[in-house]
Amino acid sequence: MLEACRLVRNLFATAKAYRAQRWIAEHALVEDRYGLVRVVAGLDVAYKRGRHGEDVGVGVAVALSYPSLKPLACEALARVICVPYVPGLLAFREMAVLAPALARLLRRVSVDLVLVDGHGIAHPRRAGIATHVGVVFDIPSIGVAKKRLYGREKAVGDKTLLVDDGGRPIAMIIERGRSRIYVSPGHRISVESSARLVKTMLKRGRLPEPTRVADSLTKSLKRVVGEISCCDPVSLRTPQCGSNSRNIFSS
DNA sequence: GCGACAG
DNA sequence: ATCTTGTCGC
């Protein structure tokens, strides 16, 4: 079983991944094509080491009301991840858990916007994980990253942007004290709107609420995930959210 | 050849 | 991302 994963690892073709990303980028819309925002989803993945050295990914998709930012629903699952982390190819490693989680969340709630942990078009091929999610689901998405991957900084007025080789804006840097986050469009939204919306979701800590809650849930859930031997997704019991118990999401 | 390099 | 000891401060 471990050999099977090793095989997949070796077969992973960077060239084909690049082709797929060029396709994703071609289909990404960096304009404001979203409606009234009532529900925002946060996506994140955490990892734990399996008994035999495999990576087990725990993916979470949580829906929050907007602008009140109260948890409404959450879907989570875990599975063995055979794709290695390669800078620029993060989506191929995390989509395996994020896609099923988001798909199931969308079955329960009508989501207007998705915040993904990672970059959107602030990527060497304009196809960061937030763009993958946005294009694949054809849903407005924004990438929120803690570190830069691509692009050079450029001060414009009182703001700092990230621009590509052609000088085109690809992300906005939002600074809070000594820390900063990189906000870039994933799909169906502009750089300006991405930054404006994310700012309205900054509550406590460094990340916007949907991302912070997803991150918190992901870390809590991985502690209660048992051994997973196959690559098939395993559903995770999710904390009840909404009316009565939103306390679980506090931390 | 030498850095840079999301999570 | 994950691992991981000690330390600073409310």
Side-chain angles (χ1 to χ4, degrees):
Chain A
M1 196 56 75
L2 186 58
E3 280 309 305
C5 293
R6 187 179 297 274
L7 186 59
V8 173
R9 238 192 190 86
N10 296 333
L11 290 176
F12 188 75
T14 298
K16 289 187 177 180
Y18 279 24
R19 283 186 54 198
Q21 292 193 319
R22 287 197 298 270
W23 187 90
I24 292 288
E26 285 172 10
H27 291 263
L29 216 50
V30 189
E31 311 169 1
D32 292 324
R33 298 242 176 133
Y34 60 91
L36 179 63
V37 180
R38 296 186 191 184
V39 179
V40 181
L43 270 53
D44 192 27
V45 182
Y47 298 91
K48 73 179 295 185
R49 190 72 72 184
R51 185 147 295 177
H52 303 291
E54 350 78 280
D55 286 338
V56 176
V58 179
V60 164
V62 59
L64 279 68
S65 58
Y66 184 90
S68 51
L69 302 174
K70 305 294 184 188
L72 299 173
C74 175
E75 288 290 344
L77 59 86
R79 73 182 300 180
V80 171
I81 302 297
C82 299
V83 179
Y85 167 70
V86 177
L89 300 180
L90 177 66
F92 296 94
R93 177 171 165 80
E94 308 207 320
M95 278 298 266
V97 282
L98 291 186
L102 179 57
R104 288 166 49 170
L105 184 70
L106 294 178
R107 222 168 50 190
R108 297 173 53 190
V109 192
S110 179
V111 175
D112 306 302
L113 175 69
V114 179
L115 261 50
V116 186
D117 195 343
H119 288 102
I121 64 169
H123 177 280
R125 290 167 295 282
R126 297 177 73 89
I129 189 167
T131 303
H132 279 247
V133 171
V135 170
V136 169
F137 287 88
D138 191 25
I139 192 171
S141 67
I142 298 173
V144 178
K146 295 177 283 298
K147 292 188 294 188
R148 185 195 68 88
L149 168 66
Y150 174 79
R152 58 183 176 79
E153 289 186 27
K154 181 179 183 181
V156 176
D158 57 343
K159 306 175 186 211
T160 307
L161 298 175
L162 221 47
V163 299
D164 62 18
D165 291 333
R168 287 179 301 177
I170 51 178
M172 183 85 79
I173 296 176
I174 298 178
E175 319 197 87
R176 300 232 335 186
R178 40 179 59 263
S179 67
R180 48 163 52 181
I181 55 176
Y182 302 80
V183 179
S184 62
H187 183 49
R188 285 178 173 266
I189 195 167
S190 65
V191 172
E192 294 69 27
S193 296
S194 296
R196 181 174 51 73
L197 277 167
V198 166
K199 282 179 182 173
T200 67
M201 292 183 257
L202 292 175
K203 197 80 172 179
R204 13 184 286 192
R206 165 190 190 184
L207 303 168
E209 284 299 287
T211 305
R212 190 183 65 75
V213 173
D215 179 79
S216 175
L217 285 172
T218 216
K219 284 170 179 166
S220 301
L221 286 172
K222 78 171 184 178
R223 292 181 306 193
V224 298
V225 173
E227 289 304 311
I228 294 178
S229 55
C230 63
C231 290
D232 298 318
V234 174
S235 301
L236 262 41
R237 192 180 192 85
T238 281
Q240 308 299 309
C241 40
S243 51
N244 359 33
S245 53
R246 61 175 60 118
N247 48 309
I248 306 175
F249 299 88
S250 301
S251 61

